[in-house]
Amino acid sequence: MGSFYDNVSKESLIYLGVALLVLIILYWSTSVVLKRLGKNPKYLLPKSSFKRLAFPLVLIFISVLLRMKALRDLLNLEDAEFWFKKASTILFIFAMAWVMIALLKIIKKAVIQNYDIGEADNLKARKVYTQFTILERIFIFIIILLGVGFILMSFEEIREVGISIFASAGVAGIIIGFSAQQFIGTILAGIQIAIAQPIKLDDVVIVEGEWGRIEEITLTYVVVSIWDKRRLIVPTPYFINQPFQNWTKTSSDLLGTIFLYVDYNVPFDKIREAQTEILNNTDLWDGKVNVVQVTDTKPNYVEIRTLVSSKDSPTGWDLRVHVREKLIEFLQENYPESIARTTRLTVERKDHDQTDS
């Protein structure tokens, strides 16, 4: 044991001890500050913030220790200075990238925790959640790309190769640019969706004739959950370059239409009264719109369009089905002669032919 202290510089031990003490104090003070900010209701910092940052902060402290000459003296590895510094550089870049990604996730969680995407009127919440989800992925992609680039450029050999490649990359760059044009366009479309927001998470859309909800938005594709549990995968440029229907772009409440084709003898006021009674007896109606209109006339029938309103599209679908069924039952029970004239003529003709035969 005495020979160990004889072979180790006292200055190295002092420097290493001071460095460890400083790093421990910094780590402890950082943990105290983050934990107090998480408990204080004045701040938006989530309580789990320190857990996300703890391990990458330890890696940063280790990278600082690896660069110290005192540690090499203590381990009697003065000749391995290059490898210690190289490991320190790589570990520091890796840990900093980790810290930045963790901070990004903390900021996202701190912001979106103030918005409830599960509430009925969640338009603002879906806007914020969509923007932060896409922008988070963009920044993570950039951070990882830069981190890998800095690590590779820390090697002299790779840096020289990279410089030589950049110096002679005129034609190759043009070729690669054309080859990556579609990929770059897809990434830019994802960024544009995050900023302009033609779609948001949980939006109700009709894409390629399919009714569904926006389930996931990435930089390159969008997942639409179809009503029958299928998933439609759509490239992000589609929502920039192609027309589509978004039923919840500005609000979730919608108007539902129901068409009836009846005889000229049907009293329209009775249909209005019947629809009002139907709507008052169901929780599907939001109490806003209740309209019955004659929208077209043909020689053999009259077209009636009814308008009803609901809080969102799924409820609207159920309301339309319910009102249509009840109105048909009302006509069957009270005005059975209201069957469209073409059908009545066909039935009467068949009965007449059977009587003659």
Side-chain angles (χ1 to χ4, degrees):
M1 200 66 166
S3 61
F4 173 77
Y5 285 108
D6 293 337
N7 295 328
V8 174
S9 170
K10 298 291 191 300
E11 292 182 356
S12 298
L13 283 173
I14 293 172
Y15 288 150
L16 189 61
V18 172
L20 282 172
L21 182 62
V22 171
L23 293 178
I24 290 172
I25 292 173
L26 286 174
Y27 183 84
W28 175 80
S29 59
T30 303
S31 66
V32 170
V33 171
L34 289 176
K35 287 179 180 178
R36 286 187 177 179
L37 289 179
K39 292 179 181 178
N40 194 333
K42 293 181 182 179
Y43 298 94
L44 298 174
L45 205 60
K47 293 181 180 180
S48 60
S49 300
F50 183 70
K51 292 182 180 179
R52 290 183 178 272
L53 294 172
F55 194 68
L57 286 176
V58 170
L59 293 182
I60 291 176
F61 296 153
I62 293 175
S63 69
V64 174
L65 289 176
L66 288 175
R67 188 166 285 273
M68 293 185 63
K69 183 177 182 298
L71 180 63
R72 297 194 299 274
D73 292 341
L74 185 64
L75 299 175
N76 197 21
L77 294 172
E78 295 88 351
D79 296 335
E81 178 183 357
F82 172 79
W83 298 109
F84 270 81
K85 289 186 176 180
K86 188 60 63 179
S88 172
T89 301
I90 294 174
L91 187 60
F92 181 79
I93 295 172
F94 174 76
M96 284 301 298
W98 193 340
V99 166
M100 293 175 68
I101 293 174
L103 286 173
L104 192 63
K105 291 183 177 295
I106 290 171
I107 293 172
K108 175 190 172 185
K109 187 175 180 180
V111 174
I112 67 175
Q113 71 180 1
N114 298 318
Y115 300 91
D116 184 10
I117 200 169
E119 64 183 7
D121 188 10
N122 60 357
L123 178 63
K124 188 174 182 180
R126 290 188 293 109
K127 282 183 177 181
V128 174
Y129 197 89
T130 301
Q131 282 184 329
F132 271 86
T133 299
I134 299 177
L135 292 176
E136 176 194 25
R137 290 171 178 167
I138 294 171
F139 284 122
I140 288 176
F141 175 77
I142 294 173
I143 291 169
I144 293 175
L145 189 64
L146 291 177
V148 172
F150 285 135
I151 289 175
L152 293 177
M153 294 301 286
S154 68
F155 293 92
E156 190 67 30
E157 298 82 1
I158 297 178
R159 189 189 311 163
E160 292 177 357
V161 172
I163 293 173
S164 63
I165 290 175
F166 280 122
S168 59
V171 178
I174 296 174
I175 296 174
I176 293 173
F178 278 113
S179 302
Q181 184 177 5
Q182 185 173 0
F183 174 75
I184 295 172
T186 302
I187 298 294
L188 292 177
I191 297 173
Q192 189 171 351
I193 286 176
I195 298 173
Q197 289 196 327
I199 56 172
K200 300 174 292 295
L201 289 172
D202 207 36
D203 264 345
V204 176
V205 295
I206 295 181
V207 180
E208 297 294 310
E210 299 283 2
W211 183 96
R213 288 182 177 274
I214 302 296
E215 184 177 62
E216 183 181 0
I217 303 175
T218 70
L219 284 179
T220 55
Y221 65 89
V222 176
V223 179
V224 182
S225 177
I226 308 302
W227 64 273
D228 58 0
K229 304 299 182 181
R230 290 178 294 145
R231 298 295 186 273
L232 184 65
I233 310 300
V234 186
T236 50
Y238 180 94
F239 294 96
I240 303 298
N241 302 323
Q242 300 292 330
F244 65 95
Q245 294 186 40
N246 187 336
W247 289 10
T248 54
K249 179 68 172 69
T250 56
S251 63
S252 58
D253 54 328
L254 291 172
L255 291 179
T257 58
I258 302 157
F259 288 94
L260 296 174
Y261 300 92
V262 297
D263 191 80
Y264 275 80
N265 295 325
V266 173
F268 304 121
D269 289 338
K270 296 297 182 182
I271 294 179
R272 292 187 177 93
E273 294 174 4
Q275 177 165 292
T276 301
E277 183 178 356
I278 293 168
L279 293 176
N280 288 331
N281 291 324
T282 179
D283 295 332
L284 301 173
W285 185 47
D286 64 3
K288 294 180 180 178
V289 178
N290 172 20
V291 177
V292 176
Q293 297 173 319
V294 178
T295 53
D296 198 5
T297 56
K298 299 293 182 182
N300 300 320
Y301 64 86
V302 176
E303 180 186 83
I304 296 177
R305 185 187 69 177
T306 73
L307 295 178
V308 293
S309 58
S310 58
K311 62 180 182 180
D312 53 38
S313 57
T315 307
W317 170 263
D318 293 337
L319 180 61
R320 289 168 60 198
V321 172
H322 175 72
V323 173
R324 184 184 294 112
E325 177 182 333
K326 293 301 180 181
L327 284 178
I328 292 175
E329 288 179 357
F330 168 77
L331 293 174
Q332 289 173 341
E333 292 173 3
N334 298 278
Y335 303 98
E337 72 280 2
S338 65
I339 301 173
R341 179 66 64 181
T342 53
T343 307
R344 288 177 58 190
L345 287 174
T346 303
V347 173
E348 291 174 357
R349 182 172 297 173
K350 285 184 178 179
D351 293 339
H352 183 268
D353 292 342
Q354 289 176 358
T355 304
D356 291 343
S357 62

